[in-house]
Amino acid sequence: MAMFHTRMSVVSRARGETSVAGAAYNSRSAMADELTGASYDFRRAHLHEKLVADLGVTLPAGADPSLASRPSLWNEVERVERGKRAQTARRIECSLPRELSEEEQVELARRIVGMLVGQGMAVDACLHDALDGHNPHLHMQMPLRGIGPEGLLPKSVNVYSVRDASGHEARMTAEELGDALSSGDTWEKLYRYRMGRETRVLTPSEAESWSGCRRVSKTPVQETRYLHDWNERTRAREWRRAIAAMENEALAAHGSVDWLHFMGHFHEGLRYTR
């Protein structure tokens, strides 16, 4: 009977991990980390295991094509993620049915990669197996940021609370606010002001009529808007179910029924580190 598992985690600089090393390990290649100067050579690592297929880096539509190069992508990720405790990439490892031929496993792996790329992620993928063919599994590593025509995008943007001269309120990014003001609108950012024990949220224009008040902080009222929901735990469960469904379909096409029966017990299990 086929066995199924998925493991999901993040590459964390706080744990001494690097996405460059992870990509070199998965692809059984040698890569240099341009940020630290470290070199990683996994060409002879884990000789009990074989690299069945290197699927390379698959980019979403509209992404900077120069990042299709594995060293370029992961060195750019390490350069952009500057924090000492930064999380740099997401990892997903999933078993593949050993009942399938290698050709069928590679085709299934491409379908799984395509599902994630279709959600806007860049995916670096490699298919491994034990030398005896009893442990086929897919390694995927993905940046935590989206990729646009000019490279890696921010993970989030600040959204400001604004109010116009008529008292209407809205939330806008700096770009949206700039566009609105250039068209003649009267939006202003909101700030917290205080006089004595009383605090009010006002625009600078409104604060002028509250004689004697002082602005609490130079920072306007704002919140963080994440550009993607990839870090939500619900998404991890959705990916696991989608992968399970694709593997079930592949086994059904192959003529196997054992996996289809076995899988029903494992949809709810999940190992995921945010």
Side-chain angles (χ1 to χ4, degrees), residues 9-10 89-92 140-142 144 230-231 239 272:
S9 61
V10 292
R90 176 173 292 102
R91 297 174 291 207
I92 300 179
M140 295 178 287
Q141 185 169 278
M142 297 143 285
L144 299 179
W230 300 334
N231 273 346
W239 295 331
Y272 177 62

Side-chain angles (χ1 to χ4, degrees), residues 158-161 188-193 199-204 214-224:
N158 289 332
V159 180
Y160 300 100
S161 296
E188 291 184 80
K189 295 178 183 177
L190 291 170
Y191 296 83
R192 289 183 175 84
Y193 290 85
T199 300
R200 300 180 188 177
V201 178
L202 305 169
T203 67
R214 293 186 177 183
R215 194 161 69 183
V216 174
S217 170
K218 294 181 179 180
T219 303
V221 177
Q222 60 187 286
E223 61 185 32
T224 299

Side-chain angles (χ1 to χ4, degrees), residues 183-248:
S183 65
D185 292 340
T186 59
W187 296 105
E188 291 184 80
K189 295 178 183 177
L190 291 170
Y191 296 83
R192 289 183 175 84
Y193 290 85
R194 178 182 298 154
M195 184 164 59
R197 295 184 177 181
E198 184 178 359
T199 300
R200 300 180 188 177
V201 178
L202 305 169
T203 67
S205 296
E206 293 169 339
E208 291 178 0
S209 62
W210 195 23
S211 180
C213 71
R214 293 186 177 183
R215 194 161 69 183
V216 174
S217 170
K218 294 181 179 180
T219 303
V221 177
Q222 60 187 286
E223 61 185 32
T224 299
R225 177 190 295 170
Y226 289 94
L227 300 182
H228 302 284
D229 62 354
W230 300 334
N231 273 346
E232 295 298 326
R233 291 180 183 273
T234 54
R235 297 306 303 274
R237 190 177 299 279
E238 289 170 9
W239 295 331
R240 189 183 193 283
R241 287 176 171 170
I243 293 170
M246 283 186 276
E247 299 202 8
N248 282 340

Side-chain angles (χ1 to χ4, degrees), residues 84-146:
K84 293 182 179 179
R85 302 181 63 83
Q87 295 180 333
T88 59
R90 176 173 292 102
R91 297 174 291 207
I92 300 179
E93 177 193 332
C94 61
S95 59
L96 298 176
R98 66 187 184 190
E99 288 82 359
L100 303 181
S101 67
E102 283 191 0
E103 182 178 347
E104 290 171 324
Q105 290 169 357
V106 171
E107 177 57 31
L108 173 57
R110 292 190 187 280
R111 287 187 58 210
I112 294 170
V113 168
M115 179 267 294
L116 295 170
V117 172
Q119 297 180 20
M121 284 177 272
V123 182
D124 184 359
C126 293
L127 175 58
H128 294 182
D129 198 354
L131 295 179
D132 61 7
H134 287 173
N135 185 29
H137 54 281
L138 176 63
H139 288 274
M140 295 178 287
Q141 185 169 278
M142 297 143 285
L144 299 179
R145 297 170 182 259

